[in-house]
Amino acid sequence: DQQVKQNSPSLSVQEGRISILNCDYTNSMFDYFLWYKKYPAEGPTFLISISSIKDKNEDGRFTVFLNKSAKHLSLHIVPSQPGDSAVYFCAASVKIQGAQKLVFGQGTRLTINP
Amino acid sequence: DVKVTQSSRYLVKRTGEKVFLECVQDMDHENMFWYRQDPGLGLRLIYFSYDVKMKEKGDIPEGYSVSREKKERFSLILESASTNQTSMYLCASSWREYGYTFGSGTRLTVV
């Protein structure tokens, strides 16, 4: 039962263009959504987040959009840079026993081509 | 700068061995987590702990146990390692907000 889904295993984008990564979820109890970036042989690092009460959050080149009715969120990176090449994980947060548990998607490997 | 340290980057163990993966955080965080990452499956939660000596099963706890005797240390134990436990293991900690800080990971190979 995959509650958070990233249906595109990989994405290739030309440098300078926009990268759009997508994520779908099924659980209406999720109250926060996050994107993490992961390089090989490193742990994931936090990129950007959005509360379930908002529909957009922007931080520099990164913008996350949330469509609650469609249970869909997306990450936009513009302009894309070679250093953005990594695996991106979408995550959704739910509170269990006082701890915020994160449920992750399968990841999308983004490759930025020069 | 906050830090989550996993004791080993790479481990090779034999089938049937008892394996300990150690994780230490220096941020005084209450919550700690163990995930495994496998291609096409993303990160899956094995166990988490919201306080010293407290533990909760995640989504895939079978074959694993954990120990949290001190706030800063959270250990993952493979009681009898099997080849299907070959994976990248990631430890994370958080306090009351939503962001996790992850360690660099331990790539475990069971032969």
Side-chain angles (χ1 to χ4, degrees):
Chain A
D1 178 24
Q2 190 78 24
Q3 297 186 66
V4 178
K5 288 185 182 178
Q6 294 175 256
N7 291 315
S8 298
S10 62
L11 177 67
S12 186
V13 174
Q14 195 169 357
E15 182 178 0
R17 302 273 186 150
I18 185 171
S19 296
I20 301 176
L21 294 92
N22 294 302
C23 179
D24 297 297
Y25 63 96
T26 57
N27 189 344
S28 300
M29 298 301 293
F30 290 137
D31 58 355
Y32 226 81
F33 301 90
L34 306 92
W35 284 93
Y36 280 80
K37 178 179 179 179
K38 186 179 185 301
Y39 293 117
E42 293 184 15
T45 54
F46 171 75
L47 194 57
I48 192 169
S49 64
I50 187 168
S51 165
S52 61
I53 62 173
K54 297 194 172 182
D55 55 18
K56 179 182 175 181
N57 187 28
E58 193 171 348
D59 183 4
R61 296 187 298 115
F62 303 93
T63 303
V64 56
F65 295 92
L66 176 62
N67 182 334
K68 282 190 72 176
S69 60
K71 293 191 172 68
H72 177 83
L73 69 154
S74 61
L75 173 68
H76 292 209
I77 306 172
V78 55
S80 301
Q81 299 174 355
D84 297 330
S85 295
V87 177
Y88 289 78
F89 290 99
C90 168
S93 175
V94 61
K95 196 162 189 175
I96 296 179
Q97 295 280 8
Q100 290 296 141
K101 171 186 164 183
L102 289 185
V103 180
F104 286 85
Q106 305 96 314
T108 297
R109 182 176 301 277
L110 176 65
T111 302
I112 306 300
N113 302 308
Chain B
D1 196 16
V2 297
K3 252 194 149 174
V4 176
T5 303
Q6 293 183 232
S7 53
S8 305
R9 293 298 298 270
Y10 301 94
L11 274 179
V12 180
K13 296 292 181 181
R14 294 195 179 277
T15 301
E17 273 193 79
K18 190 168 185 176
V19 181
F20 293 85
L21 302 183
E22 306 288 345
C23 176
V24 177
Q25 50 102 354
D26 65 359
M27 298 163 282
D28 202 35
H29 283 174
E30 295 161 350
N31 306 317
M32 296 188 74
F33 307 82
W34 275 106
Y35 285 84
R36 62 178 281 178
Q37 181 198 352
D38 300 288
L41 297 176
L43 278 70
R44 294 179 292 165
L45 181 64
I46 304 170
Y47 266 96
F48 67 100
S49 168
Y50 53 92
D51 203 351
V52 176
K53 296 192 187 294
M54 306 302 288
K55 59 185 179 184
E56 290 289 332
K57 292 181 180 178
D59 300 316
I60 51 164
E62 297 79 17
Y64 303 94
S65 62
V66 290
S67 171
R68 193 165 181 203
E69 296 296 318
K70 294 184 178 182
K71 193 174 187 179
E72 67 270 19
R73 186 180 296 270
F74 191 35
S75 303
L76 180 70
I77 304 157
L78 286 66
E79 297 290 342
S80 177
S82 63
T83 54
N84 64 11
Q85 292 178 311
T86 291
S87 186
M88 167 71 87
Y89 289 88
L90 292 159
C91 175
S93 74
S94 74
W95 63 300
R96 60 179 177 81
E97 293 300 331
Y98 301 89
Y100 286 14
T101 300
F102 280 90
S104 298
T106 296
R107 181 161 295 283
L108 173 68
T109 302
V110 182
V111 297

